[in-house]
């Protein structure tokens, strides 16, 4: 269980709810009547049974994981809509920073466009969605594997995913993890407002696929090449047989 008074006391979150169970914290906030509430509003849950990922992907939240979403107005950090497309990468960097604070072991990297990897395995997924009515607001959904150890999971899954407790060999205090994540996100957003280039430099140092041969699936099919990092708009740069291709949206299939 999360200590909500501590969360409200130690972060910029203005209102928070912790639900016993919910379909999806993102869906909950997208349908939330937010006329008279103070933002940022955080909603998390013990058990999410219809968690969503990008596209048609589902997000499984095992017991001990940390699924939550924050409804916020990017203008509060002076972030214009033109920079919204990079928010998923910036959130990934915020998660990496937080994980480095929480764990003295492990290598944390962002896998374009919305995953965080620890020691080459997925530890966190991010889903950012625009509010359908209040078009100046976004929902940032974060699913982090914290105390949902994958030690007992099928070997195939163990190779793909990891939890923070597996890295550290001990369970963590989820309130402290959540506070560290939220403060790290606040810090990243504050930096992004005035300076759109700094995050790009940080991304270069934390990019999971840079230099790797990868295949990306996007609307026009699949494209394979060596990842040359990303540009300042957040587009992935791939060196293919035809030259360098810029990919604005898609999914990495092999990395
Ligand atoms: C992905 O891997 O494609 C993104 C997964 C995002 C999962 C989080 S968990 C909290 C929030 N609620 C959801 O339904 N999804 C996000």
């Amino acid at each position: 269980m999360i200590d909500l008074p501590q969360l409200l006391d130690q972060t910029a979150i203005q209102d928070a709810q912790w639900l016993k169970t919910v379909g999806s914290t993102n869906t909950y906030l997208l349908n939330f009547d937010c006329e008279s509430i103070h933002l940022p509003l955080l909603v998390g849950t013990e058990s999410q049974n219809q968690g969503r990922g990008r596209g048609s992907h589902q997000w499984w939240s095992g017991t001990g994981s940390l699924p939550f979403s924050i409804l916020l107005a990017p203008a509060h950090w002076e972030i214009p809509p033109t920079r919204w497309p990079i928010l998923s990468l910036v959130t990934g960097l915020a998660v990496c920073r937080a994980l480095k604070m929480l764990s003295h072991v492990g290598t944390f990297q962002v896998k374009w466009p919305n995953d965080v990897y620890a020691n080459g395995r997925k530890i966190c997924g991010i889903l950012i969605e625009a509010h359908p009515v209040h078009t100046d607001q976004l929902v940032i959904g974060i699913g982090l594997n914290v105390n949902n150890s994958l030690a007992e999971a099928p070997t195939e899954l163990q190779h793909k995913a990891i939890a923070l407790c597996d890295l550290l060999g001990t369970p963590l205090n989820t309130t402290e993890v959540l506070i560290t994540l939220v403060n790290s996100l606040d810090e990243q957003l504050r930096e992004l407002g005035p300076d759109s280039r700094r995050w790009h430099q940080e991304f270069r140092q934390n990019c999971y696929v840079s230099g790797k041969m990868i295949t990306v699936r996007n609307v026009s099919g699949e494209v394979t090449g060596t990842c040359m990092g990303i540009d300042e708009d957040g587009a992935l740069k791939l060196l293919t047989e035809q030259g360098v291709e810029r990919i604005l949206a898609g999914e990495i299939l092999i990395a």
Side-chain angles (χ1 to χ4, degrees), residues 24-26 48 51-54 59 68 114 122 125-126 142-143:
S24 152
T25 52
N26 263 39
Q48 181 178 248
R52 296 186 289 107
R54 286 179 78 243
W59 177 258
F68 67 96
N114 68 318
K122 184 161 172 171
I126 295 160
I142 298 177

Side-chain angles (χ1 to χ4, degrees), residues 2-10:
I2 293 292
D3 184 339
L4 287 185
Q6 191 184 342
L7 174 78
L8 293 170
D9 187 46
Q10 295 181 13

Side-chain angles (χ1 to χ4, degrees), residues 3-18 29 32 34 36-43 68-73 76-77 137 178-179 182-183 185-186 190:
D3 184 339
L4 287 185
Q6 191 184 342
L7 174 78
L8 293 170
D9 187 46
Q10 295 181 13
T11 68
I13 295 295
Q14 297 297 304
D15 207 344
Q17 295 180 15
W18 206 259
L29 277 178
F32 196 78
C34 48
S36 57
I37 46 135
H38 298 288
L39 301 182
L41 163 68
L42 183 147
V43 169
F68 67 96
S69 303
I70 303 176
L71 178 66
L72 51 77
H76 173 80
W77 290 269
Q137 297 172 9
L178 182 60
I179 289 173
V182 168
N183 284 338
L185 179 61
D186 184 31
R190 262 188 282 132

Side-chain angles (χ1 to χ4, degrees), residues 203-219:
F203 190 89
R204 275 218 306 271
Q205 293 154 2
N206 292 276
C207 177
Y208 177 60
V209 289
S210 271
K212 289 184 180 151
M213 182 69 109
I214 59 172
T215 296
V216 182
R217 182 193 288 147
N218 63 10
V219 276

Side-chain angles (χ1 to χ4, degrees), residues 87-245:
L87 280 176
S88 154
L89 297 172
V90 168
T91 303
L93 288 175
V95 174
C96 279
R97 272 193 198 176
L99 292 175
K100 285 174 192 169
M101 278 183 249
L102 291 161
S103 172
H104 54 281
V105 287
T107 303
F108 303 105
Q109 290 168 306
V110 180
K111 181 180 165 202
W112 183 94
N114 68 318
D115 292 335
V116 177
Y117 272 51
N119 290 356
R121 298 176 205 177
K122 184 161 172 171
I123 194 165
C124 174
I126 295 160
L127 178 65
I128 302 191
E129 296 177 294
H131 195 284
V133 179
H134 302 278
T135 51
D136 60 326
Q137 297 172 9
L138 290 178
V139 173
I140 299 187
I142 298 177
L144 179 67
N145 297 328
V146 181
N147 290 327
N148 50 323
S149 171
L150 282 110
E152 307 298 323
T155 323
E156 190 199 300
L157 198 62
Q158 277 182 20
H159 288 307
K160 290 185 183 159
I162 193 164
L164 209 42
C165 68
D166 293 327
L167 270 177
L168 286 165
T170 180
L172 288 97
N173 177 319
T174 39
T175 301
E176 276 170 26
V177 173
L178 182 60
I179 289 173
T180 309
L181 280 173
V182 168
N183 284 338
S184 178
L185 179 61
D186 184 31
E187 185 184 79
Q188 278 282 1
L189 296 180
R190 262 188 282 132
E191 287 175 12
L192 181 64
D195 185 353
S196 63
R197 282 181 306 268
R198 193 163 149 185
W199 75 275
H200 183 246
Q201 196 181 355
E202 189 172 343
F203 190 89
R204 275 218 306 271
Q205 293 154 2
N206 292 276
C207 177
Y208 177 60
V209 289
S210 271
K212 289 184 180 151
M213 182 69 109
I214 59 172
T215 296
V216 182
R217 182 193 288 147
N218 63 10
V219 276
S220 40
E222 290 183 7
V223 44
T224 297
T226 305
C227 177
M228 312 289 288
I230 56 162
D231 66 19
E232 289 186 11
D233 297 323
L236 196 72
K237 292 186 292 180
L238 268 195
L239 180 59
T240 69
E241 284 175 1
Q242 286 73 43
V244 177
E245 285 200 29

